[in-house]
Amino acid sequence: MRTAVTLCRVAEAASGPFVFHDELAIGFQKAAAHGFDAVELFLPSADYISVEEIRELQQKHSLAIAAVGTGAGMVKHGLTLTDADPVFRERALAFILSLVDFAGTLGAPAILGSMQGKHNAAVPRDLAIVYLADALQIISARAAQYGTVFLYEPLNRYETNLFNTVADSAKFLADHQLTNVKILADLFHMNIEEVSCEQAIAENIDHIGHIHFADSNRRAIGFGHTDRMPILRLLYQLSYQGYLSAEILPLPNADAAAKQFILSTII
Ligand code: LER
Ligand code: MN
């Protein structure tokens, strides 16, 4: 199965679940040295680096772009698609579209994680879901122009109260005919929310486009208490075609986490 590793250049996410925080020239070099197939980019904005510079790094190190995160919109600017203020919702949408354009030019999907936001007293659940669905229609249509999907990530209950499980997310996408949105299944969130990670994957495999392959404690698998073999066997049986991406804590250090991650993906 294809592997990816996270490269983070967002200062506000320095303690987040990302493996390499070096400048991208070094990050690409380390990703290739560890044997990853691709990198997943977490950048401050779409103009942080040009598409041409990314292409040069890709060619130099033979690495694909697995996905591009949008979380900087939240951690740097406090933007979400479900904000009560229409001005902030518009800014959130524009920020995400700029990263969809960046990622799409590179043939990669962008991800909606923390920028989905939460429902609250000012924005009741039904309204938040309308805001989310309307934004996803626009965003996924933009992604389609590049021949890519857009990735929606259910998060655990401490990070969002919109959709916490893969099945609820799949139903939401189907109910709103969001056919160009796939689910990013993050095993860290799933370990908190799912009755069974295997069952959630098996029942919704057609909706799953990307996996954050993390242990129960968000470290590389093998450094927590997730039983990886049933999950890996299942993904092979189901002919999963997406990436297993290392959105994990760089513990005990980035290189050791990367090394363990690669080992954890081998059956
Ligand atoms: C993003 O991929 C994610 O998993 C979130 O928990 C980030 O806060
Ligand atoms: Mn994740």
Side-chain angles (χ1 to χ4, degrees):
M1 234 166 300
R2 292 181 298 166
T3 57
V5 65
T6 47
L7 306 185
C8 174
R9 296 301 294 146
V10 179
E12 291 82 350
S15 59
F18 306 105
V19 176
F20 296 118
H21 294 259
D22 316 79
E23 57 182 80
L24 290 179
I26 308 286
F28 271 74
Q29 195 177 31
K30 289 184 176 177
H34 279 283
F36 286 92
D37 300 307
V39 293
E40 180 175 322
L41 301 173
F42 195 69
L43 305 178
S45 67
D47 52 16
Y48 171 76
I49 184 167
S50 70
V51 163
E52 290 69 33
E53 285 172 278
I54 294 285
R55 285 203 178 115
E56 275 174 34
L57 289 169
Q58 283 189 261
Q59 272 163 15
K60 183 169 178 192
H61 299 290
S62 299
L63 287 164
I65 307 299
V68 176
T70 61
M74 173 66 186
V75 299
K76 285 185 80 69
H77 309 293
L79 296 173
T80 74
L81 294 174
T82 51
D83 197 290
D85 185 335
V87 173
F88 281 85
R89 289 201 303 279
E90 275 303 314
R91 279 188 205 156
L93 180 61
F95 187 88
I96 292 171
L97 288 174
S98 69
L99 281 163
V100 168
D101 290 337
F102 177 83
T105 309
L106 292 163
I111 300 167
L112 178 64
S114 59
M115 282 193 76
Q116 65 192 274
K118 298 174 183 172
H119 68 80
N120 54 40
V123 184
R125 180 174 180 82
D126 287 357
L127 184 58
I129 287 171
V130 169
Y131 289 160
L132 180 64
D134 288 353
L136 285 174
Q137 293 287 2
I138 297 168
I139 295 165
S140 60
R142 180 74 71 93
Q145 292 176 10
Y146 299 95
T148 64
V149 297
F150 185 66
L151 295 168
Y152 171 74
E153 180 172 17
L155 306 175
N156 73 70
R157 66 191 70 184
Y158 307 106
E159 297 187 38
T160 190
N161 51 14
L162 296 177
F163 298 103
N164 303 122
T165 66
V166 173
D168 285 351
S169 306
K171 182 173 184 321
F172 160 69
L173 297 177
D175 286 350
H176 292 84
Q177 285 102 42
L178 288 160
T179 50
N180 199 42
V181 182
K182 293 283 180 195
I183 292 173
L184 193 178
D186 181 329
L187 288 175
F188 166 71
H189 300 301
M190 292 175 73
N191 260 309
I192 296 169
E193 297 296 344
E194 304 289 352
V195 174
S196 154
C197 291
E198 288 91 324
Q199 195 181 335
I201 291 169
E203 289 178 358
N204 299 287
I205 190 66
D206 292 343
H207 285 278
I208 297 176
H210 193 76
I211 293 179
H212 283 160
F213 197 62
D215 212 321
S216 49
N217 53 6
R218 220 168 200 180
R219 293 178 60 174
I221 294 198
F223 290 164
H225 56 76
T226 295
D227 188 2
R228 71 189 179 92
M229 287 311 271
I231 298 173
L232 283 177
R233 282 203 201 98
L234 178 66
L235 290 171
Y236 273 107
Q237 272 167 19
L238 297 171
S239 303
Y240 171 68
Q241 296 297 314
Y243 284 96
L244 297 179
S245 185
E247 189 193 62
I248 55 172
L249 294 164
L251 296 173
N253 57 62
D255 283 314
K259 188 172 172 198
Q260 174 63 26
F261 181 91
I262 291 288
L263 289 175
S264 78
T265 62
I266 297 166
I267 283 195

